[in-house]
């Protein structure tokens, strides 16, 4: 029995020595160094130990912001809009262009918004623009502003969203 135990111990130590020699010879972790006829060769073993294996997780998604804007010419009742622009300045330019193309003369930016929604609320005595995360919230905000000003016939005239876009 002692001879059998001693033989098993020698086999285990020999295997450990092969893996240690393989790593010192430049073999990949888990490979075995085989020496035959004076030539050393790295042979695939069982692969790297579990603690050395790396899990390759995909990179987190990347998002690009999107902008929108509203421009108006109040005396002429013209509303210019833009959505899904790459920058605030691009959104404002597009809204101003839209306002002028619809007959606006004194167009001005009412509100730019980013990665969200906008509501343009009108009443018998004026208007307001509100932005928020959803159309419902932007509309509620606009209606609240309209009603708290004591205006009559408040209603949401225009809504839109410019949501971020996943690019990777």
């Amino acid at each position: 029995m002692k001879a059998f135990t001693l033989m098993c111990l020698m086999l285990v130590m020999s295997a450990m020595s092969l893996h240690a020699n393989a790593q010192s010879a430049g073999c990949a972790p888990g490979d075995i160094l085989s020496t035959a006829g004076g030539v050393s060769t790295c042979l695939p073993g069982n692969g790297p130990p579990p603690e050395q294996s790396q899990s390759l997780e995909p990179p987190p998604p990347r998002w690009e912001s999107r902008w929108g804007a509203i421009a108006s010419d109040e005396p002429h009742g013209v509303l210019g809009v833009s959505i899904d622009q790459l920058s605030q300045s691009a959104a404002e330019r597009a809204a101003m262009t839209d306002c002028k193309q619809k007959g606006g003369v004194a167009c001005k930016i009412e509100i730019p918004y980013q990665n969200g929604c906008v509501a343009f609320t009108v009443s018998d005595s004026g208007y307001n623009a509100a932005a928020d995360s959803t159309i419902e919230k932007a509309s509620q905000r606009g209606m609240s502003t309209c009603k708290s000003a004591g205006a009559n016939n408040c209603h949401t005239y225009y809504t839109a969203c410019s949501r971020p876009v996943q690019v990777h």
Side-chain angles (χ1 to χ4, degrees), residues 25-117:
C27 295
D31 283 357
I32 298 170
L33 181 64
S34 171
T35 305
V39 177
S40 296
T41 306
C42 295
L43 298 175
N46 294 332
E51 66 273 3
Q52 289 183 358
S53 66
Q54 296 179 1
S55 63
L56 297 175
E57 293 183 28
R62 250 189 51 220
W63 295 87
E64 254 182 17
S65 289
R66 291 295 186 260
W67 287 83
I70 294 178
S72 72
D73 178 351
E74 183 182 9
H76 297 100
V78 177
L79 191 68
V81 298
S82 69
I83 60 170
D84 296 331
Q85 300 296 311
L86 294 175
S87 68
Q88 181 177 348
S89 60
E92 290 176 356
R93 276 193 311 273
M96 290 292 285
T97 299
D98 188 46
C99 182
K100 290 175 182 175
Q101 287 176 344
K102 292 176 177 173
V105 178
C107 297
K108 67 175 185 162
I109 296 296
E110 295 296 338
I111 188 170
Y113 61 98
Q114 177 186 21
N115 299 334
C117 300

